[in-house]
Amino acid sequence: MNGTLPRIVLAAQPSAGFDYELIVAPANVNIVPGGSTPALSFNGGYPSPVIRAKQHQPVRIRVVNQLNEPTTIHWHGMRIPIGMDGVPFLSQTPIMPGEAFDYEFTPPDAGTFWYHPHMNSVEQLGKGLVGALIVEEAEKPDFDEDLVLCMKNWHINDDGSFTALTTPQNAFRMGTPGRVMTINGQTSPTYEVPAGGAIRVRFLNVDNTVVYMVNSTDPDAQIIAIDGNPIAQAVTLKQHPMAPGMRLDLGVIAPSKVGETITFKHKNNPLVTLTTVASHLENRSLPKLPLNPIPAPDLDNAETVKFAFEWNANITPIKKDGKVSYNFWAMNRRSWEGMSKGHIPAPLATLERGKTYIFELSNLTQYHHPIHIHGHTFTVLHSNKKDIIPFHSDTVLLGKNEIVTAALVADNPGRWMYHCHIIEHLKTGFMSYIEVT
């Protein structure tokens, strides 16, 4: 990395030659009946536009900031160059009000990903700046329906006005819960699917806080991909935890009779229902997804790096303006100091490019923490709490007192954000970065 940040361009310039343009601006949206919510939006509404890219083909996206504050866009789960990662000051200068930024990258991996700002995250994500990024396989599998389902628990009252997005009492626990659980901005929606069809169901947890426990009324529903990465052998869905930032692709064969249903739930709460409509499909089977080209870790020559995630019990400091500076969480006894132009703290760890590392992730708290790394993909190897068949993931969910080992090949140079994806934890200490030299 040479320290040069990508250029900012003015929003007034023409947008010809771009695959997508995202206008970031306030907008009133309808989430609850009869109520209007003063949200922040991409292109004037919610759900946000689904961006569809193609594996191994470049995609160009112009982001225009019409907020009254800076923003950036991070492409969650993507192994792309550092200059396109969307972290303010670390990888790009913030997109100021009235400016635009051109993102261009070539996805090496196919699957289910998403996009969101990495500035003022509690508010910008909490008020609606979240969207799905689907990278289609170089050779597209033959599904009869492909559903993209963004899970978001809105912090709103019955009239649509916002409740508190965060409170200190909740930030040092599991985060502040919302009141209205939605799929694509609707409460328990129903989608029509062809009877007897092979259906791909993509769940994306774009919430700030909630850990969903996904299950299905279909006993034959199959897990086919985790966090955008196909698994070598499909696994029958029983109940799968999905923390903020995580994705889950399921495959189902729809019932053959018209009017029959499959319901997916969070615990016992219905999330979304599929209902069958007439089709001529018969004897369908689930297509097999091609594996992504994740570099294989060299475990025999790997170096182990230990990370302890724990509660910060220090006395909460008071800033010069008299306001409380809440820092509840620490990684290796260090709470994130924040960063700004000209002030980038030291990395939490420095990795040698091309070398394999085993991250030992130790959760020393009583709460769940989804640990997300930018620009790389983990190969999750082992847990002291549950049996694991190794799989690829960019967001590793750690349970209470759980220790997970996960390997990665440090093949992408740059300064990569590394944090808990419960947004209130991120904002109160659980964030740092890894430098690959």
Side-chain angles (χ1 to χ4, degrees):
M1 180 173 177
N2 60 16
T4 301
L5 296 177
R7 64 185 180 91
I8 293 287
V9 297
L10 297 178
Q13 293 187 6
S15 299
F18 289 87
D19 299 291
Y20 291 90
E21 183 170 70
L22 296 176
I23 309 296
V24 188
N28 291 327
V29 300
N30 298 112
I31 303 298
V32 292
S36 180
T37 296
L40 303 179
S41 78
F42 293 110
N43 295 4
Y46 189 87
S48 303
V50 176
I51 291 178
R52 290 190 176 270
K54 191 85 170 177
Q55 188 179 23
H56 307 314
Q57 294 184 13
V59 60
R60 299 188 73 206
I61 305 163
R62 170 161 285 187
V63 175
V64 181
N65 183 10
Q66 294 183 0
L67 302 175
N68 61 4
E69 63 184 41
T71 193
T72 63
I73 302 299
H74 168 58
W75 313 96
H76 182 111
M78 301 295 293
R79 298 188 297 128
I80 56 180
I82 184 65
M84 297 292 104
D85 193 52
V87 175
F89 309 113
L90 202 63
S91 62
Q92 72 168 90
T93 53
I95 311 170
M96 302 303 291
E99 291 183 337
F101 190 88
D102 297 344
Y103 293 93
E104 182 174 0
F105 50 86
T106 300
D109 306 318
T112 304
F113 305 95
W114 65 296
Y115 61 96
H116 62 81
H118 233 289
M119 295 195 73
N120 191 14
S121 301
V122 170
E123 181 168 343
Q124 291 194 14
L125 275 71
K127 289 189 173 181
L129 291 178
V130 291
L133 167 61
I134 304 302
V135 181
E136 296 178 348
E137 291 81 1
E139 295 185 10
K140 193 173 180 179
D142 185 25
F143 287 96
D144 301 304
E145 191 71 55
D146 189 331
L147 299 176
V148 178
L149 307 176
C150 289
M151 314 155 79
K152 180 169 172 56
N153 202 18
W154 288 80
H155 295 67
I156 53 177
N157 294 302
D158 292 341
D159 64 358
S161 61
F162 277 104
T163 61
L165 296 172
T166 181
T167 64
Q169 297 92 331
N170 288 311
F172 66 72
R173 295 184 175 91
M174 270 304 294
T176 306
R179 296 182 64 249
V180 181
M181 191 172 295
T182 66
I183 296 290
N184 294 343
Q186 296 182 299
T187 302
S188 302
T190 296
Y191 290 87
E192 294 182 343
V193 296
I199 314 300
R200 184 174 187 169
V201 184
R202 304 177 190 252
F203 282 105
L204 303 91
N205 186 346
V206 299
D207 200 77
N208 278 19
T209 301
V210 174
V211 178
Y212 293 86
M213 302 298 293
V214 178
N215 61 83
S216 174
T217 58
D218 179 3
D220 296 320
Q222 300 291 303
I223 298 173
I224 57 176
I226 297 172
D227 285 350
N229 289 286
I231 57 178
Q233 184 64 47
V235 175
T236 300
L237 172 68
K238 294 180 180 178
Q239 182 163 269
H240 189 87
M242 286 186 66
M246 301 176 76
R247 291 87 65 210
L248 184 69
D249 285 28
L250 302 174
V252 298
I253 299 298
S256 58
K257 295 182 179 180
V258 173
E260 293 192 311
T261 61
I262 297 172
T263 298
F264 296 96
K265 301 179 181 181
H266 161 51
K267 299 180 180 178
N268 292 320
N269 303 306
L271 289 171
V272 63
T273 297
L274 313 185
T275 185
T276 54
V277 295
S279 78
H280 300 290
L281 300 172
E282 295 181 352
N283 302 318
R284 296 287 284 140
S285 59
L286 292 176
K288 187 172 179 60
L289 299 179
L291 300 181
N292 280 329
I294 307 300
D298 179 7
L299 299 179
D300 292 336
N301 296 294
E303 178 181 336
T304 297
V305 186
K306 296 185 178 183
F307 298 97
F309 305 94
E310 55 191 329
W311 189 64
N312 183 355
N314 293 334
I315 296 173
T316 301
I318 304 297
K319 295 186 288 188
K320 290 181 179 180
D321 60 5
K323 296 181 180 179
V324 176
S325 178
Y326 292 110
N327 281 305
F328 300 129
W329 306 98
M331 302 168 68
N332 286 357
R333 299 188 175 183
R334 176 180 163 191
S335 290
W336 179 237
E337 305 94 327
M339 59 186 171
S340 59
K341 183 179 180 181
H343 173 68
I344 306 295
L348 192 64
T350 300
L351 311 182
E352 181 182 339
R353 185 177 182 182
K355 188 173 178 179
T356 294
Y357 293 86
I358 295 175
F359 283 25
E360 184 178 288
L361 311 173
S362 298
N363 180 11
L364 306 180
T365 80
Q366 61 182 310
Y367 301 107
H368 288 74
H369 299 291
I371 304 302
H372 173 55
I373 190 166
H374 290 206
H376 293 79
T377 297
F378 288 119
T379 300
V380 183
L381 301 172
H382 179 266
S383 166
N384 68 331
K385 292 287 187 177
K386 55 183 178 287
D387 293 332
I388 284 181
I389 299 172
F391 64 97
H392 299 305
S393 171
D394 53 70
T395 309
V396 179
L397 179 59
L398 302 178
K400 175 182 177 181
N401 296 323
E402 185 175 13
I403 301 173
V404 170
T405 55
L408 64 77
V409 179
D411 63 343
N412 200 354
R415 299 180 296 198
W416 299 103
M417 211 87 246
Y418 178 54
H419 59 88
C420 177
H421 221 288
I422 292 174
I423 303 302
E424 289 164 272
H425 293 179
L426 175 156
K427 297 298 289 185
T428 55
F430 252 173
M431 184 163 74
S432 190
Y433 72 94
I434 302 297
E435 185 164 22
V436 178
T437 60

